[in-house]
Amino acid sequence: MKDIIRVKCLLSSDVETLLNQQIKKEAHSSAIYLSMASWCNRNGYDFSADYFFKQAEEERQHQLKIYKYVLDMGGTSISPDITNIKLEYNSFREVFEDALDQEISVTQSLKNIAARCQKEQDFITLEFLNWFFREQREEEFKARRALELFEVIGEEGTGRWQIDKHVGQIVYSSEA
Amino acid sequence: MQQTVSLPKINFTEVFSTKNGAIYQSDSEGCWYIDFAGKLARFDYRNLLKLKKAVYQIDIEDLLLNSDKSADLEIIFICACDHCYVLSLLQIIKLKDLLQGTFTMLELNHIIFDRLHRIIS
Ligand SMILES: [Fe+2]
Ligand SMILES: [Fe+2]
């Protein structure tokens, strides 16, 4: 008896499901960043707004990357619906705290997929995920550095104005 | 699983059967035939997965507990597929049983292919 399902699709149904969940997670991240950009803009933090617009765009690209991978491997990618996006933040700092939390949870969920791939020896998806792990290094670094500005510069006086100006200048330059 | 039934023209391999129905695979056509609820229906790869999803999604417990549901019938309609099933609760349970057995056998067949045929040859 032929192994028809494997001929049609490289992904196991479990890995396919996890990748679709990740597609949703990236779309969710993108929507959150877009909302943060809105909040920052409305409250006069122009550089941070730009920073979050860029982040939103990046998350959208992450979503598409997985979306196309699932299709290329013969699977079914599902366009997610995203709801419940926070509109208001209590403070400038809270925006960056949420951003870091979001990145940490993305890293965690990618680790979970990789663990599954390892278990079923899906080295192809595992190798695909490597790009995302590299990306998470940068994403977490930037989010953490941004939050640290609040400690380094301090929020008193023109602090928040200074912080906003520096957010756009954070770069991750590790070659390792 | 390896018992082959010869019908005119097409060769079927029985994947899984219960006393309520059976699912056969046709290697030459690359599809499956489901013998259930008094009919033999052909499913290709996409439609078989859609059927699986549709059946697995039905909340059997909810149907059992919800006595105010007027009809005890569920319609399983699959987009872009010629077949649809109108099933009673009991039949849904039986179909789910049949599908679960089938996918377990297909998974087993896949493992055998990966571990045996694909490595040696
Ligand atoms: Fe991302
Ligand atoms: Fe990110």
Side-chain angles (χ1 to χ4, degrees):
Chain A
M1 189 167 81
K2 280 186 184 169
D3 186 8
I4 300 173
I5 294 181
R6 177 61 184 87
V7 171
K8 296 279 183 187
C9 181
L10 179 144
L11 306 166
S12 75
S13 65
D14 283 349
V15 169
E16 186 186 311
T17 304
L18 287 173
L19 289 174
N20 269 312
Q21 283 169 8
Q22 190 63 31
I23 287 169
K24 189 177 172 118
K25 212 162 173 69
E26 299 291 348
H28 191 227
S29 288
S30 181
I32 287 174
Y33 282 135
L34 207 53
S35 192
M36 289 172 170
S38 165
W39 188 92
C40 288
N41 181 294
R42 277 180 283 136
N43 288 276
Y45 302 112
D46 282 349
F47 293 101
S48 300
D50 278 352
Y51 171 81
F52 286 123
F53 272 121
K54 264 189 225 120
Q55 286 300 118
E57 195 50 45
E58 272 191 25
E59 299 305 339
R60 166 88 182 158
Q61 294 309 319
H62 298 168
Q63 183 202 341
L64 290 181
K65 217 178 169 84
I66 308 170
Y67 201 84
K68 285 174 184 155
Y69 174 76
V70 171
L71 289 175
D72 288 347
M73 296 306 110
T76 302
S77 38
I78 301 164
S79 182
D81 44 292
I82 303 302
T83 48
N84 283 324
I85 301 299
K86 190 164 162 179
L87 186 63
E88 292 301 336
Y89 292 85
N90 291 310
S91 65
F92 188 35
R93 189 192 178 114
E94 190 185 87
V95 178
F96 288 93
E97 283 169 351
D98 278 20
L100 179 56
D101 276 348
Q102 180 61 22
E103 289 304 336
I104 290 173
S105 101
V106 166
T107 305
Q108 187 53 32
S109 117
L110 287 165
K111 277 159 73 178
N112 182 42
I113 306 174
R116 178 71 221 180
C117 291
Q118 210 141 41
K119 201 172 166 203
E120 47 182 84
Q121 305 198 330
D122 180 353
F123 301 117
I124 294 146
T125 305
L126 204 56
E127 194 270 338
F128 166 76
L129 289 174
N130 277 339
W131 184 90
F132 285 86
F133 285 120
R134 263 198 109 76
E135 182 69 15
Q136 280 317 106
R137 252 159 72 172
E138 180 176 340
E139 298 272 75
E140 277 204 26
F141 171 88
K142 288 200 311 197
R144 203 169 282 116
R145 274 283 177 271
L147 197 53
E148 279 163 6
L149 291 177
F150 286 82
E151 306 302 330
V152 176
I153 298 172
E155 292 187 64
E156 307 75 28
T158 55
R160 282 195 282 272
W161 178 79
Q162 288 273 7
I163 293 167
D164 181 48
K165 259 177 57 171
H166 281 87
V167 162
Q169 291 163 20
I170 301 166
V171 275
Y172 181 67
S173 53
S174 168
E175 293 298 319
Chain B
M1 196 167 148
Q2 290 306 329
Q3 176 196 359
T4 306
V5 189
S6 282
L7 288 172
K9 279 199 272 182
I10 312 158
N11 277 341
F12 296 104
T13 307
E14 183 186 297
V15 182
F16 187 72
S17 68
T18 65
K19 60 179 190 294
N20 305 297
I23 297 186
Y24 306 95
Q25 179 172 313
S26 161
D27 279 357
S28 58
E29 288 183 275
C31 71
W32 294 269
Y33 286 86
I34 301 183
D35 179 11
F36 187 78
K39 65 171 177 181
L40 189 67
R42 181 182 191 276
F43 285 82
D44 65 11
Y45 165 68
R46 295 275 166 207
N47 285 335
L48 187 73
L49 291 187
K50 281 189 255 178
L51 177 71
K52 178 192 182 192
K53 198 173 172 218
V55 172
Y56 284 26
Q57 261 175 1
I58 299 171
D59 191 341
I60 293 169
E61 203 176 327
D62 180 64
L63 287 174
L64 273 170
L65 296 174
N66 245 326
S67 49
D68 54 84
K69 278 253 170 79
S70 49
D72 183 26
L73 286 176
E74 197 78 14
I75 300 168
I76 301 174
F77 173 77
I78 298 152
C79 238
C81 177
D82 303 336
H83 315 292
C84 100
Y85 287 101
V86 182
L87 302 175
S88 70
L89 184 53
L90 206 60
Q91 282 176 306
I92 291 168
I93 296 170
K94 287 171 179 170
L95 180 58
K96 193 172 176 181
D97 227 32
L98 184 61
L99 286 171
Q100 277 170 336
T102 299
F103 278 97
T104 306
M105 293 314 278
L106 291 176
E107 180 66 28
L108 185 62
N109 188 48
H110 167 62
I111 293 170
I112 292 167
F113 256 84
D114 270 359
R115 304 276 158 90
L116 234 57
H117 308 312
R118 286 182 178 128
I119 288 178
I120 297 164
S121 62

